[in-house]
Amino acid sequence: MSDIHTDKILILDFGSQYTQLIARRIREIGVYCEIWAWDHDPAEIAKFAPKGVILSGGPASVTETGSPRAPEQVFRLAAPILGICYGMQTMAAQHGGTVEGGHAREFGHAVIATQPCGLFADLPRAQDVWMSHGDRVTVLPPGFAVAASTASVPIAAMADDKRHWYGLQFHPEVTHTEHGVAILRRFVAEICHCATLWTPARIIDDTLATVRGLVGNDKVLLGLSGGVDSSVVAALLDKAIGDQLTCVFVDTGLLRAGEGDQVMHTMARNMGVRVIRVNAAERFFAALRGVVDPEAKRKAIGKLFVEVFDAEAKKLAGVRWLAQGTIYPDVIESAGGKTGKAHVIKSHHNVGGLPAKMHLKLLEPLRALFKDEVRRIGVELGLPREMVYRHPFPGPGLGVRILGEVKPEYAEILQRADRIFIEELRAAGQYDKVSQAFAVFLPVKSVGVVGDGRAYEWVIALRAVETIDFMTARWSHLPYDLLGRISSRIINEVRAVSRVVYDISGKPPATIEWE
């Protein structure tokens, strides 16, 4: 393991919706971390040898029989420990403290008054924080002292400075907690003594060395979508192995309007990599005929992608590797990797959609990175801003933005509507203000009036969200006049559409994509 992975933090996941946000905050500080399930093999925890451990929050109650507990191995590591919400409660319960339910659930803003301890050193005594809990610690375990309290919670934080074990009833990882990042930085950098080596330049150097060590003289085939992730992979591999890389761009017929030509132009202008374009729209539409279940669609698309790559690889002597733009949220949301306990939210075509038997070995240079880290690496590699900060586009493309069965005529309608939406966002200066925006084809018809006649035509939904990490998101409050202009253009310019609606769902409970 390289130097940038030496000083590392282990995050044990108890099921909180904020667990990935904790990881992002730690990495933003400059320290590598990984998320593992709360019941991960204790022997592997010892072997991982983290310099500190964070116990995440979670939806369970410590007071319930059979609820999750932290492995005892964690407490034998002689490493600092930070328990957040449920993590604090299970740490207290496992070491002689008392946790009680039945109190009024506290969700939202609170003000804590801190007491002197290693975790709050040099921070204001009064701090705004974000609470989200029902249970609370009512009796401290031996060795702990009260580190913070609120008007309604006598033990809002606890500290054992001798063992460097700490518990927070609030969430330091969310932006609503005023000094949350400073608390986390204090824990990982000062208490755990982790060097802040996790930087874009060092990540690039480490990735290049890893790729060269794995690949040797083999040739690599990259599935290029033209999106941020695969474009950054292309730039990394071009730098690492040069002529050993061949990119295959599969035009599935499920791309945005004009995107095939745009991808080829962008790659030719910014990188000297070899790109083979495969026009496979007919094959993809045939594979999706009659398929309506979102998971089945993703798996069908993933299977066909691999078949296309295998076929192209056989035409090229020496290809041993299939490279992909898989990133860390893909792995976690597909219930892969070392977390292992996450519910499958959706199978990403390049993770959960891959067949069990493949002829090529997988090369995934971005597998441990979050989206914002990928973008920073792209900038460091010199890729143009319009490429790196382009809105994310799902691997299965419009296949998961056309609800129900995917048909060529539906794809054409959606492409035209989506193009109008993005054009108007750019013209209004809103494109860079939202994190992701797209149109969705709904397989339902609605009565309308077009001209002087009755119309019974399709519905288009618009989706625009604002987010930092893509793990949680809020719907974008676009101006009404802009939404009206977009709706008017779509209905007037896209035949077979009689109604446009706007999605005002947040994540959670909704996902960003509709499927």
Side-chain angles (χ1 to χ4, degrees):
M1 187 171 281
S2 65
D3 288 344
I4 64 171
H5 299 92
T6 301
D7 287 4
K8 53 189 179 289
I9 298 294
L10 175 61
I11 301 170
L12 289 185
D13 181 19
F14 288 88
S16 170
Q17 62 175 311
Y18 299 129
T19 300
Q20 293 183 46
L21 189 52
I22 299 171
R24 283 192 57 259
R25 295 286 182 256
I26 300 303
R27 292 191 184 187
E28 287 169 359
I29 292 166
V31 176
Y32 180 70
C33 62
E34 289 189 17
I35 301 171
W36 291 10
W38 62 270
D39 60 350
H40 199 91
D41 183 352
E44 288 195 25
I45 291 175
K47 185 178 180 181
F48 188 66
K51 295 197 73 173
V53 177
I54 296 177
L55 309 177
S56 86
S61 171
V62 170
T63 62
E64 295 174 355
T65 303
S67 56
R69 294 291 184 267
E72 284 303 319
Q73 180 63 52
V74 167
F75 303 109
R76 301 192 199 110
L77 290 174
I81 301 172
L82 175 62
I84 298 174
C85 200
Y86 186 93
M88 169 183 172
Q89 294 160 14
T90 192
M91 181 162 58
Q94 289 178 241
H95 291 86
T98 301
V99 177
E100 294 182 2
H103 298 274
R105 179 173 172 79
E106 193 171 32
F107 183 85
H109 171 264
V111 178
I112 60 168
T114 66
Q115 301 297 325
C117 73
L119 196 61
F120 296 131
D122 303 321
L123 293 177
R125 186 165 186 270
Q127 301 179 29
D128 291 331
V129 301
W130 184 262
M131 293 281 194
S132 178
H133 69 95
D135 297 348
R136 64 181 63 169
V137 177
T138 55
V139 178
L140 290 169
F144 282 85
V146 174
S149 58
T150 73
S152 59
V153 182
I155 307 175
M158 62 184 192
D160 181 338
D161 279 325
K162 185 175 180 180
R163 289 181 291 186
H164 303 298
W165 292 2
Y166 303 92
L168 303 176
Q169 186 60 74
F170 58 90
H171 289 271
E173 68 273 21
V174 301
T175 54
H176 306 77
T177 294
E178 183 181 11
H179 298 285
V181 173
I183 292 169
L184 291 172
R185 181 180 290 109
R186 178 79 189 162
F187 178 71
V188 300
E190 303 298 328
I191 295 173
C192 298
H193 303 294
C194 290
T196 52
L197 302 175
W198 189 253
T199 64
R202 287 192 172 100
I203 294 170
I204 290 171
D205 290 342
D206 179 77
T207 303
L208 297 179
T210 299
V211 167
R212 289 167 183 151
L214 280 173
V215 171
N217 295 320
D218 293 342
K219 290 184 179 178
V220 177
L221 194 65
L222 168 63
L224 183 67
S225 70
V228 176
D229 303 330
S230 66
S231 297
V232 171
V233 171
L236 277 169
L237 295 182
D238 182 44
K239 194 176 183 68
I241 57 175
D243 293 342
Q244 294 167 242
L245 172 66
T246 298
C247 296
V248 173
F249 169 58
V250 180
D251 190 339
T252 64
L254 300 171
L255 303 173
R256 288 169 285 206
E259 191 163 32
D261 293 337
Q262 180 186 1
V263 168
M264 297 298 291
H265 176 70
T266 301
M267 290 298 111
R269 187 182 70 217
N270 294 289
M271 287 178 272
V273 296
R274 179 188 178 198
V275 182
I276 298 172
R277 181 173 181 171
V278 181
N279 294 312
E282 289 185 6
R283 292 181 63 186
F284 276 86
F285 284 120
L288 293 168
R289 190 173 296 126
V291 181
V292 297
D293 178 73
E295 281 295 289
K297 287 197 287 187
R298 288 177 180 274
K299 292 183 185 298
I301 291 169
K303 181 176 182 293
L304 189 50
F305 258 110
V306 173
E307 288 176 3
V308 172
F309 293 143
D310 270 347
E312 293 301 320
K314 288 174 183 176
K315 301 175 186 177
L316 304 168
V319 172
R320 299 287 182 270
W321 297 85
L322 170 62
Q324 297 191 127
T326 307
I327 62 174
Y328 204 24
D330 294 342
V331 176
I332 294 171
E333 289 197 345
S334 295
K338 292 178 179 176
T339 57
K341 294 298 175 183
H343 292 290
V344 177
I345 299 170
K346 55 189 175 182
S347 290
H348 292 260
H349 81 284
N350 53 346
V351 183
L354 292 175
K357 185 176 182 181
M358 291 175 52
H359 299 293
L360 300 174
K361 292 181 284 186
L362 277 180
L363 182 65
E364 299 173 312
L366 308 180
R367 189 179 178 87
L369 303 181
F370 289 100
K371 177 71 76 174
D372 54 329
E373 294 175 311
V374 173
R375 286 196 162 116
R376 287 198 292 270
I377 286 173
V379 171
E380 188 79 15
L381 288 167
L383 295 177
R385 178 180 173 82
E386 62 267 23
M387 176 190 289
V388 174
Y389 284 93
R390 187 182 185 194
H391 289 183
F393 189 62
L398 302 183
V400 291
R401 291 181 179 173
I402 298 170
L403 273 59
E405 184 178 5
V406 177
K407 297 181 180 181
E409 58 267 33
Y410 297 169
E412 183 181 356
I413 291 170
L414 182 55
Q415 286 170 336
R416 295 174 64 192
D418 189 77
R419 170 182 271 174
I420 291 170
F421 187 20
I422 300 304
E423 282 177 356
E424 290 294 335
L425 285 177
R426 290 189 185 280
Q430 292 286 336
Y431 183 83
D432 290 327
K433 294 181 181 179
V434 302
S435 307
Q436 189 171 3
F438 55 90
V440 179
F441 178 90
L442 305 185
V444 293
K445 287 190 172 183
S446 171
V447 173
V449 178
V450 178
D452 294 324
R454 175 185 183 276
Y456 187 54
E457 296 176 325
W458 302 111
V459 178
I460 290 290
L462 304 178
R463 176 77 157 146
V465 299
E466 296 168 13
T467 178
I468 296 173
D469 55 12
F470 290 89
M471 294 297 99
T472 60
R474 66 163 229 167
W475 61 276
S476 298
H477 296 192
L478 296 177
Y480 289 156
D481 60 343
L482 172 59
L483 288 172
R485 190 160 59 248
I486 294 167
S487 175
S488 178
R489 278 196 62 192
I490 290 174
I491 292 172
N492 284 308
E493 297 177 30
V494 183
R495 288 181 63 88
V497 175
S498 65
R499 191 175 298 271
V500 175
V501 298
Y502 189 54
D503 182 351
I504 58 170
S505 310
K507 177 183 180 180
T511 56
I512 294 177
E513 296 288 344
W514 276 47
E515 289 191 344

